[in-house]
Amino acid sequence: MTARYPDELKEAVEEGLHHHFPLADERAAPVVDAMRYSLFAPGKRFRPILTLAGAQAVGGDPAGAMPTACAFEFIHTYSLIHDDLPALDDDELRRGQPTCHIKFSESTAILAGDALLTEAFNLVAAVQTEDSGPAIAMRVLVEMGRAAGLQGMVGGQVVDVATEGPSVDRTTLEFIHHHKTGALIRAAAVCGAILGGGTDKQIAALGRYAVNLGLAFQISDDILDVVGSTDTVGKPVGSDENNRKTTFVSMIGVDNSRQAARAAIDDAMAALDEGDLERGILNELAEFVLARTS
Ligand code: GRG
């Protein structure tokens, strides 16, 4: 199956990232270079696209959500940089190029990640507040903070690190996925709907869509680690097995994993109908997740 990817939104995000890249004193150049290197490496821009699509799905203007969309990509890039560090996954290839600490140094990579995370919140607090007003921007900041911190990505990473080696049960695996990957994906979509002026019902429905999309995204990542190629994925495949990690594939096999991803996508699409949301791009993203090769 060849799924269409929303390239027009991806291009808009690329422009947005250049536009909203933070200004810095030239003495910070070594870290700024590392931030640029990782941020402008070829990524799918999945989370910021979801923010723009979320705004559009509730009838809002996607352009009005661009600062927040970019902030989500800053946070995502920080997580990749830090996750690749020797103290965590110790990876040497990301987005088809040497990881940040290999290209620069460990200390530079740590600071580049720290700066991207912090600048994400600055961007929303300053620029999005100016565009959307303090009440809306504050709602975005709360969602973003929850998704990035202990109740989300960092919390999921803690459990992931703590359970390395021994096999984990399905409940624990789903906890890790929902927090480590799903929380940011959910928040990216929900913030788009908030910025687009969605109703509470629409925002909740979009949240359910994105939780399921995030689960399917992670299951497909597990599948790609077994059946994908390093060239298209842009990072080493087979690493889950080499690191003896429990994944959906190691737990239930490739075919059942594909079925689990399909079931999650079916639930995601049902949520869209429930919330009277425009399917358009959200449908494309769901089809992409099922068919992805990168
Ligand atoms: C808090 C340090 C820290 C880490 C959090 C999210 C995370 C844990 C680490 C990121 C690394 C990782 C392999 C996460 C699993 C989720 C995932 C599939 C990430 C890759 O996202 P894509 O496919 O990547 O959207 P691109 O490069 O396209 O943006």
Side-chain angles (χ1 to χ4, degrees), residues 11 18 27 32-33 45 53 69 71 98 119 124 158 179 219 258 269 274 277 288:
E11 276 161 32
H18 283 280
R27 279 166 285 203
V32 173
D33 289 348
R45 313 306 188 200
E119 293 298 339
V124 177
V158 172
H179 289 76
I219 296 174
R258 284 197 207 284
M269 300 319 288
E274 199 176 273
L277 293 158
F288 164 78

Side-chain angles (χ1 to χ4, degrees), residues 5 38 41-48 73 75-85 88-89 91 94-96 148-149 152-158 160 177 179-182 184-185 217-218 220-222 224 233 235 240 245 288 292 294:
Y5 199 66
S38 292
K44 291 182 288 299
R45 313 306 188 200
F46 189 73
R47 293 145 193 85
E73 188 65 15
I75 295 175
H76 170 58
T77 305
Y78 127 76
S79 80
L80 299 180
I81 295 173
H82 279 197
D83 195 57
D84 290 334
L85 285 166
L88 288 167
D89 274 4
D91 277 324
R94 168 72 67 185
R95 292 178 162 174
M153 194 166 69
V154 174
Q157 180 75 351
V158 172
D160 196 14
H177 287 349
H179 289 76
K180 183 175 144 173
T181 320
L184 202 67
I185 288 178
F217 187 88
Q218 183 62 60
S220 67
D221 207 64
D222 290 353
L224 274 181
V233 179
K235 61 180 182 179
D240 291 337
K245 279 194 107 160
F288 164 78
R292 68 187 274 230
S294 66

Side-chain angles (χ1 to χ4, degrees), residues 4-246:
R4 206 192 88 83
Y5 199 66
D7 290 320
E8 63 294 343
L9 290 186
K10 185 168 186 276
E11 276 161 32
V13 169
E14 298 297 340
E15 269 179 41
L17 289 172
H18 283 280
H19 182 71
H20 290 297
F21 190 82
L23 299 173
D25 188 282
E26 67 182 34
R27 279 166 285 203
V31 166
V32 173
D33 289 348
M35 291 162 73
R36 281 190 188 283
Y37 173 81
S38 292
L39 186 68
F40 294 115
K44 291 182 288 299
R45 313 306 188 200
F46 189 73
R47 293 145 193 85
I49 287 174
L50 255 180
T51 304
L52 303 183
Q56 196 166 313
V58 299
D61 175 13
M66 186 58 85
T68 295
C70 292
F72 276 110
E73 188 65 15
F74 286 11
I75 295 175
H76 170 58
T77 305
Y78 127 76
S79 80
L80 299 180
I81 295 173
H82 279 197
D83 195 57
D84 290 334
L85 285 166
L88 288 167
D89 274 4
D90 195 9
D91 277 324
E92 299 194 350
L93 192 68
R94 168 72 67 185
R95 292 178 162 174
Q97 62 182 32
T99 46
C100 193
H101 65 276
I102 294 288
K103 173 81 179 171
F104 298 91
S105 67
E106 251 183 86
S107 58
T108 303
I110 291 170
L111 290 172
D114 291 343
L116 282 165
L117 174 63
T118 313
E119 293 298 339
F121 286 89
N122 271 343
L123 182 55
V124 177
V127 184
Q128 195 69 68
T129 301
E130 218 165 86
D131 292 357
S132 313
I136 296 282
M138 191 53 77
R139 285 178 72 188
V140 167
L141 286 168
V142 170
E143 291 289 347
M144 196 174 255
R146 254 191 219 138
L150 283 173
Q151 292 179 57
M153 194 166 69
V154 174
Q157 180 75 351
V158 172
V159 178
D160 196 14
V161 169
T163 51
E164 238 161 53
S167 65
V168 298
D169 58 28
R170 185 158 176 166
T171 310
T172 308
L173 186 63
E174 289 196 6
F175 177 94
I176 293 169
H177 287 349
H178 279 309
H179 289 76
K180 183 175 144 173
T181 320
L184 202 67
I185 288 178
R186 177 193 166 277
V190 160
C191 288
I194 292 172
L195 291 162
T199 62
D200 287 349
K201 188 179 169 199
Q202 287 177 315
I203 293 167
L206 202 63
R208 187 179 135 203
Y209 159 87
V211 163
N212 281 291
L213 186 76
L215 181 61
F217 187 88
Q218 183 62 60
I219 296 174
S220 67
D221 207 64
D222 290 353
I223 296 172
L224 274 181
D225 195 65
V226 176
V227 305
S229 79
T230 299
D231 277 355
T232 51
V233 179
K235 61 180 182 179
V237 295
S239 63
D240 291 337
E241 196 183 352
N242 293 341
N243 296 332
R244 293 176 41 248
K245 279 194 107 160
T246 305

